[in-house]
Amino acid sequence: MHNNTQEKVEVPKEYPQVMALPLTRRPLFPGFYKTLFVKDPKVINAINDLMARKQPFISVFMTKDETFDGDVVNDMSQIYDVGVFAQISNVYHSGPDNKGLTILLYPHRRIKIKNLIPPLNKEELETSNSNNNSQKQNSKKEDNTNNDNNKNNNEVENKNDKKEGKEGKDEKDEIELPKEYTDQFDEVNLPLAKFNVSVVDVVNLEDEKYNPEDSIIKAVNAELLSVLKEISQINQLFREQIISFSIQNGGTFFAEAPQLADFAAAVSTGEPSELQGVLECLDIEERLQKALLVIKKELANVKLQQEISKEVDKKITRKQQEYFLMEQLRGIKKELGIDTDGKEKLIEKFKTRASKLKMPEEVQKVFNEELNKLESIDSLSPEFNVTNNYLDWITQIPWGQRSEENFDLKHAETVLNEDHYGLKEVKERILEFIAVGKLKNSVEGKIICLVGPPGVGKTSVGKSIARALNRDFFRFSVGGLSDVAEIKGHRRTYVGAMPGKIIQALKKVQTENPLILIDEIDKLGKGTHGDLSSALLELLDPEQNNAFLDHYMDVPVDLSRVLFVCTANVLDTIPGPLLDRMEVISLSGYVAEEKTNIGLQYLSPQALAINGLEKKNVKLHKDAIELLIHSYARESGVRGLKKLIDKIYRKAALKLVKAEELATTKEEIEEAKNMKLDITAENLKNYVGPPIFTSERLYDKTQPGVVMGLAWTSMGGSSLYIESTLDKPLSYYNADNKKVYSIPQFSQTGQLGSVMKESSVIAYTFAKAFLLKHDPKNTFFQYASIHMHVPEGATPKDGPSAGCTITTALLSLAMNQPVKDNVAMTGEITLTGKILKIGGLREKTIAAKRSGVKYILFPEDNKNDWNKLPEYIKEGITGIPVGWYDEIFNFVFEKGDNKVKDI
């Protein structure tokens, strides 16, 4: 800490110009020391300069804005014009990194501002500096001798700058100030000009003459002393201030009316405006009156604080009395056997619960410790509730409690068929899983992940597996979850702490071997509170979850007997380490025939029961369901179809109820009760409105430059058209009747992803090379400015499997020849024309069937995927595997041998 104690300096009676410091919230009064903290480097340097020149005098004025946070005054409107002339008694560095300065001030007298010399703003400084620089340059041209002298002077100034930099001044070059600015400073304060601080011209304010023997002044003096004495008897801090000031001033301020008024205002916590009023008042009688008003308000505040303190003390004392009385009452009741303590009941409850469980040795030890702690803690203590809640949770985890599993394959097959239509591959995979479990007498260590579009029945398949195995079922979603505490629990030190979802699941199902379904595992949130994927890995990994540690429970919990089933729409966003430990079962979308049967056998009966129509004569016909699927609900799943069937039955219920309410005669009532409603394809729009989808195909007849591709999305498969056209003519005649050819270029639109854009460039390059080889006379690509578009523009698209489709569209445009009708294709193309394997062939085939396609061209490497498709999906469609693009070209443009072979 730097300490600079000012040597004794004679205080001048007149000091007409002085540096000004602003002070917030309360003014200074003559005769009473005050410390101020300064943080502005310019002001700190100026104060150091004053101390070095043995002119340790400044002025202090209170700001009108209590939130003011500066050390310089830029405008007179910021401060009151009456303040004090003060002497700096001591300075020392303080604040962060000792960059601030604390100064001890002794105010000598009242002063008033005549004029403010504000600091120069940034623009004025820059203008001044630039003008001075130009003047220096002109001077250099005129006088080389002066230039040498200036160099010597600059060297001296640089040395001085370095010295000032050591004391906190951070200025690169000495700035020459405008003459009109420096002319405002007197000789004593001229050195302050370079620091750019606030300087004021002031006049001294003298107290008006008064008669100490005046009766009013005597009375007010006496009242002031009386109030000060009363406050000091109540407030210890106030009494210490009086003693301190009395020692400091030798007690003289009690005898002098002006000093007494200033003292009363200085030690009070009054309003800033009232205190400023005392400072500005030069009439002694008026000053005493204002000081008395301030100190009277202080007395009222002190008395109010005393009353509040007494009330609080009474309440605390009363609570202590109640506590002792309650303890005595409990003791008496215990002796008489009238009532047993609530704590004893809790302890007995926890012991009873624990006796029915098979806690591991480590858990039993923790339970005993917590139970002993509960016995020793007072029931009114906050720790009592924390321990009570922990014991409640630890005794509700089903330690050693298991449900008996059912590995009967016939039972499992019956359950799966009752709950789901189709899904042959999925059912077979689940039955294989159960069969292995029967041989091992356990399904431990398996994590099933059901992947497929929304609405295909992933969650309900999980419920069916639980019902088939006779396991309790619990479901929770991690979609958008960002706090790892939801999985691992909160620490017990937090208010409202709870265990994670897994411990909550075990508490609810009351078995150690439930089936827990974790939904939306592909949509984990990205939070700042821990890594969710790592927490799930610890939870799901068979190598780790036999001793899962929840933060709240803080004891190892064996989760190896839990069967975890996860659901996801896509695999791409599932973290790699998690996916590596899962048994993936894909649930593709349903074709129209499957959705029709699901609607008839499952959704329609369920909707009848939900809407109270089981005993009513309402029937949804098969042709209506088929029309619903074709024109209203084309998604891969059946959730949309379920909503539409619910809507139909709600409309039917409304019709029936209205008919019954409008019926008046007995015959009409009977007729309304027996009303028959048949919902068919003809009257379906009366229930669900006009069709949403009129056609799956954008083009009924193919045209040059347009080819149908097939895409896979998280919602299932869909048709994907590739459109290409010329955006400029190949050639035209200019104003000189000279033939000008277009510049070849290739642009793409349709919100394509980076992979699909790259694939389109590859297709464009291959198409040019292929056409050159196939038809050298065709110069289309040499001049063609092509625009390729993929509808629909609002839907993002990405992936390489449209490569062969883009190539075909470009060649179709180049040859001005449309492709064969009712053909769709999918496959990634290379620069040599090789067709590479793609994914989602089942979903793409379903989409092609919806669009009425007769031929599907797909990569030869996907031949096994095609053979695995059920016959009812392939019915009416011919699949053509291709290895090279020549085969696609020959087929779609009917060139050479293009006979279709059924595979």
Side-chain angles (χ1 to χ4, degrees):
M1 178 187 292
H2 172 70
N3 189 15
N4 185 7
T5 304
Q6 175 63 21
E7 298 175 8
K8 189 169 183 179
V9 178
E10 185 177 349
V11 180
K13 292 182 179 180
E14 294 292 333
Y15 206 96
Q17 194 175 75
V18 65
M19 187 175 80
L21 279 184
L23 177 65
T24 55
R25 286 183 285 279
R26 60 184 299 115
L28 298 188
F29 289 89
F32 304 101
Y33 280 96
K34 176 70 175 178
T35 57
L36 295 183
F37 179 74
V38 180
K39 59 184 178 183
D40 191 327
K42 297 179 296 183
V43 178
I44 292 172
N45 290 334
I47 290 172
N48 287 334
D49 180 75
L50 288 172
M51 300 295 284
R53 292 190 290 112
K54 297 186 179 179
Q55 294 292 327
F57 304 109
I58 63 170
S59 59
V60 182
F61 300 88
M62 190 175 78
T63 61
K64 294 177 181 179
D65 183 4
E66 291 186 19
T67 61
F68 188 92
D69 191 32
D71 292 328
V72 294
V73 180
N74 296 300
D75 192 278
M76 273 296 296
S77 62
Q78 294 177 319
I79 57 173
Y80 291 95
D81 61 351
V82 175
V84 293
F85 175 82
Q87 180 180 353
I88 303 172
S89 298
N90 201 359
V91 298
Y92 55 93
H93 289 287
S94 60
D97 300 326
N98 278 339
K99 289 184 178 179
L101 196 69
T102 297
I103 58 176
L104 178 63
L105 297 177
Y106 183 81
H108 285 287
R109 56 179 177 261
R110 287 172 168 79
I111 55 175
K112 186 172 183 177
I113 300 175
K114 287 198 305 181
N115 177 49
L116 169 67
I117 306 174
L120 293 172
N121 58 37
K122 187 177 180 181
E123 292 179 0
E124 291 172 332
L125 285 170
E126 288 174 353
T127 304
S128 172
N129 196 31
S130 63
N131 291 338
N132 290 329
N133 286 338
S134 63
Q135 289 174 9
K136 284 180 181 180
Q137 288 172 1
N138 293 333
S139 177
K140 285 178 182 179
K141 291 177 182 178
E142 293 173 2
D143 193 351
N144 289 329
T145 305
N146 290 338
N147 186 25
D148 294 333
N149 293 334
N150 285 337
K151 285 182 180 179
N152 295 332
N153 291 333
N154 285 335
E155 288 176 2
V156 173
E157 286 175 4
N158 288 335
K159 289 177 181 178
N160 291 334
D161 286 342
K162 289 178 182 178
K163 289 178 182 178
E164 288 176 358
K166 291 179 181 177
E167 295 187 22
K169 188 174 179 180
D170 186 16
E171 294 181 5
K172 293 179 181 178
D173 298 307
E174 187 73 14
I175 298 174
E176 292 187 16
L177 301 168
K179 188 172 184 301
E180 59 270 20
Y181 176 71
T182 56
D183 284 348
Q184 299 177 77
F185 291 80
D186 59 24
E187 186 178 353
V188 175
N189 289 286
L190 184 59
L192 292 178
K194 62 183 177 181
F195 298 110
N196 207 28
V197 295
S198 314
V199 178
V200 290
D201 296 321
V202 298
V203 292
N204 294 339
L205 295 179
E206 299 290 339
D207 291 341
E208 296 177 6
K209 291 184 178 180
Y210 72 102
N211 182 9
E213 300 302 320
D214 182 69
S215 58
I216 294 176
I217 290 179
K218 277 186 174 184
V220 178
N221 255 358
E223 183 63 17
L224 259 177
L225 289 169
S226 175
V227 174
L228 288 169
K229 182 179 179 182
E230 191 174 352
I231 294 175
S232 66
Q233 289 174 346
I234 299 172
N235 191 319
Q236 176 68 26
L237 183 61
F238 200 92
R239 183 161 60 251
E240 290 174 0
Q241 282 184 306
I242 292 176
I243 294 169
S244 174
F245 281 111
S246 179
I247 295 169
Q248 176 186 318
N249 295 280
T252 56
F253 64 89
F254 287 117
E256 299 290 333
Q259 286 84 352
L260 180 61
D262 286 350
F263 170 77
V267 297
S268 71
T269 56
E271 289 293 323
S273 58
E274 293 178 345
L275 298 177
Q276 180 67 25
V278 175
L279 181 68
E280 293 177 358
C281 189
L282 300 178
D283 183 286
I284 303 306
E285 182 181 329
E286 186 182 349
R287 186 190 297 175
L288 285 168
Q289 294 283 6
K290 288 184 176 182
L292 181 60
L293 177 62
V294 169
I295 208 70
K296 282 276 189 183
K297 287 183 179 179
E298 185 76 14
L299 177 61
N301 287 336
V302 170
K303 285 183 176 179
L304 181 61
Q305 290 173 9
Q306 187 182 37
E307 289 176 7
I308 293 170
S309 178
K310 286 179 179 178
E311 287 295 322
V312 172
D313 289 340
K314 283 181 183 178
K315 289 178 181 178
I316 292 173
T317 306
R318 181 61 186 164
K319 283 187 176 179
Q320 288 176 335
Q321 290 173 347
E322 288 175 356
Y323 172 78
F324 289 127
L325 289 171
M326 287 300 294
E327 287 297 316
Q328 290 174 358
L329 183 61
R330 288 192 189 99
I332 293 168
K333 285 183 175 181
K334 193 171 182 180
E335 289 295 325
L336 295 174
I338 296 173
D339 188 20
T340 56
D341 191 24
K343 188 197 294 185
E344 294 297 328
K345 287 183 179 179
L346 282 174
I347 293 169
E348 191 61 36
K349 178 182 74 173
F350 293 139
K351 285 181 178 178
T352 304
R353 282 187 190 174
S355 65
K356 298 175 182 177
L357 302 172
K358 297 177 182 177
M359 290 184 180
E361 186 178 342
E362 187 177 349
V363 178
Q364 186 70 48
K365 183 181 177 182
V366 172
F367 170 75
N368 293 334
E369 289 174 356
E370 293 295 323
L371 199 64
N372 292 334
K373 186 195 292 184
L374 190 71
E375 290 177 343
S376 60
I377 297 175
D378 183 80
S379 58
L380 297 177
S381 169
E383 186 69 20
F384 181 85
N385 287 329
V386 174
T387 308
N388 179 27
N389 290 338
Y390 180 76
L391 286 168
D392 186 56
W393 277 101
I394 203 170
T395 54
Q396 292 206 61
I397 296 175
W399 307 102
Q401 310 297 308
R402 300 173 202 167
S403 59
E404 188 176 345
E405 290 188 278
N406 185 353
F407 293 110
D408 187 352
L409 285 179
K410 287 185 179 178
H411 169 72
E413 194 170 1
T414 303
V415 168
L416 292 171
N417 288 332
E418 283 177 1
D419 295 347
H420 300 277
Y421 179 86
L423 303 178
K424 183 180 177 183
E425 291 181 12
V426 176
K427 289 176 181 177
E428 283 183 1
R429 179 67 188 83
I430 293 168
L431 290 173
E432 290 169 6
F433 173 76
I434 294 172
V436 172
K438 184 174 184 178
L439 294 174
K440 293 175 62 180
N441 199 30
S442 171
V443 289
E444 294 172 13
K446 297 293 181 183
I447 309 165
I448 299 173
C449 184
L450 302 170
V451 181
V456 295
K458 299 183 293 295
T459 303
S460 56
V461 165
K463 289 181 181 177
S464 299
I465 295 171
R467 193 156 74 92
L469 291 171
N470 192 35
R471 286 186 174 223
D472 290 280
F473 179 81
F474 185 88
R475 172 194 170 274
F476 71 92
S477 175
V478 293
L481 207 65
S482 59
D483 190 353
V484 76
E486 293 290 330
I487 304 296
K488 296 272 289 178
H490 303 84
R491 301 284 181 189
R492 273 190 283 165
T493 51
Y494 294 113
V495 176
M498 284 185 68
K501 291 284 187 185
I502 301 305
I503 302 299
Q504 294 176 38
L506 294 178
K507 176 186 175 181
K508 184 176 180 181
V509 298
Q510 285 299 298
T511 57
E512 276 190 328
N513 60 338
L515 185 148
I516 295 179
L517 185 127
I518 303 175
D519 228 343
E520 310 287 0
I521 201 165
D522 58 329
K523 299 178 183 65
L524 285 175
K526 299 288 183 184
T528 56
H529 301 287
D531 185 2
L532 270 170
S533 60
S534 298
L536 281 173
L537 192 63
E538 182 185 350
L539 173 70
L540 298 175
D541 189 0
E543 302 297 325
Q544 301 180 53
N545 66 9
N546 60 347
F548 177 75
L549 199 65
D550 183 274
H551 289 152
Y552 182 86
M553 302 309 302
D554 207 23
V555 291
V557 181
D558 187 2
L559 300 178
S560 61
R561 297 179 181 84
V562 177
L563 176 59
F564 289 103
V565 177
C566 305
T567 70
N569 296 131
V570 293
L571 296 175
D572 302 344
T573 54
I574 301 176
L578 268 180
L579 186 61
D580 185 52
R581 289 161 171 80
M582 294 177 179
E583 298 275 343
V584 177
I585 300 177
S586 296
L587 281 77
S588 301
Y590 300 105
V591 293
E593 291 83 355
E594 290 177 320
K595 291 173 78 171
T596 302
N597 285 296
I598 291 169
L600 282 172
Q601 298 177 28
Y602 297 90
L603 303 181
S604 184
Q606 289 173 10
L608 275 171
I610 290 170
N611 294 287
L613 297 173
E614 287 175 294
K615 296 180 181 179
K616 299 294 181 179
N617 200 353
V618 179
K619 185 177 181 181
L620 180 63
H621 289 260
K622 183 178 180 180
D623 61 344
I625 292 178
E626 288 173 344
L627 184 59
L628 274 177
I629 293 163
H630 183 266
S631 300
Y632 296 87
R634 286 184 174 178
E635 74 281 355
S636 299
V638 292
R639 189 171 288 132
L641 179 62
K642 181 179 184 299
K643 291 176 182 177
L644 288 168
I645 292 174
D646 282 340
K647 183 177 181 180
I648 289 168
Y649 283 130
R650 286 197 306 271
K651 295 274 188 185
L654 179 62
K655 281 189 176 184
L656 292 175
V657 173
K658 274 189 175 180
E660 290 179 9
E661 288 183 352
L662 293 172
T664 54
T665 64
K666 187 176 181 181
E667 291 78 12
E668 288 177 346
I669 293 170
E670 189 65 28
E671 185 181 349
K673 286 183 177 180
N674 296 320
M675 181 188 287
K676 183 179 180 181
L677 289 177
D678 284 316
I679 297 106
T680 62
E682 286 74 22
N683 62 3
L684 182 66
K685 65 180 180 181
N686 297 331
Y687 293 88
V688 290
I692 298 171
F693 306 103
T694 53
S695 174
E696 178 78 9
R697 301 177 66 160
L698 291 178
Y699 300 93
D700 293 326
K701 190 75 176 174
T702 55
Q703 54 185 325
V706 179
V707 180
M708 183 195 286
L710 298 170
W712 179 91
T713 68
S714 61
M715 302 293 287
S718 66
S719 58
L720 184 78
Y721 279 90
I722 306 294
E723 301 176 340
S724 62
T725 186
L726 284 171
D727 58 4
K728 293 178 185 176
L730 292 174
S731 62
Y732 60 91
Y733 289 92
N734 61 14
D736 299 329
N737 204 30
K738 186 177 180 181
K739 193 173 186 180
V740 179
Y741 290 95
S742 176
I743 299 172
Q745 62 182 34
F746 181 56
S747 61
Q748 315 104 317
T749 57
Q751 204 174 161
L752 309 182
S754 58
V755 175
M756 195 166 181
K757 282 184 179 179
E758 189 179 74
S759 181
S760 67
V761 173
I762 293 169
Y764 177 66
T765 303
F766 174 77
K768 288 194 294 184
F770 185 85
L771 186 63
L772 186 65
K773 180 181 177 182
H774 181 265
D775 186 5
K777 295 180 181 179
N778 192 328
T779 59
F780 177 83
F781 286 113
Q782 293 180 32
Y783 311 111
S785 177
I786 301 171
H787 180 184
M788 186 197 82
H789 178 65
V790 185
E792 299 160 348
T795 306
K797 310 163 193 77
D798 204 4
S801 62
C804 64
T805 315
I806 297 170
T807 304
T808 306
L810 294 174
L811 289 172
S812 172
L813 182 68
M815 297 187 300
N816 196 27
Q817 180 180 349
V819 299
K820 191 173 183 177
D821 286 336
N822 298 320
V823 173
M825 62 187 72
T826 178
E828 180 180 355
I829 195 168
T830 68
L831 286 172
T832 60
K834 178 70 177 172
I835 307 300
L836 302 182
K837 187 176 183 179
I838 50 90
L841 184 62
R842 179 189 172 103
E843 289 82 359
K844 291 177 179 179
T845 306
I846 293 170
K849 191 169 184 178
R850 280 203 308 265
S851 301
V853 170
K854 293 181 180 177
Y855 305 102
I856 294 180
L857 283 74
F858 58 87
E860 195 169 33
D861 291 340
N862 289 100
K863 192 172 180 179
N864 288 333
D865 297 330
W866 175 265
N867 291 332
K868 288 179 183 178
L869 292 178
E871 288 301 323
Y872 62 83
I873 291 180
K874 296 189 288 187
E875 186 181 350
I877 299 178
T878 302
I880 304 170
V882 291
W884 294 87
Y885 183 76
D886 302 65
E887 301 171 55
I888 298 175
F889 182 83
N890 291 334
F891 180 78
V892 297
F893 294 111
E894 298 185 337
K895 307 282 184 184
D897 182 15
N898 57 5
K899 293 180 181 178
V900 176
K901 297 177 182 177
D902 190 2
I903 59 169

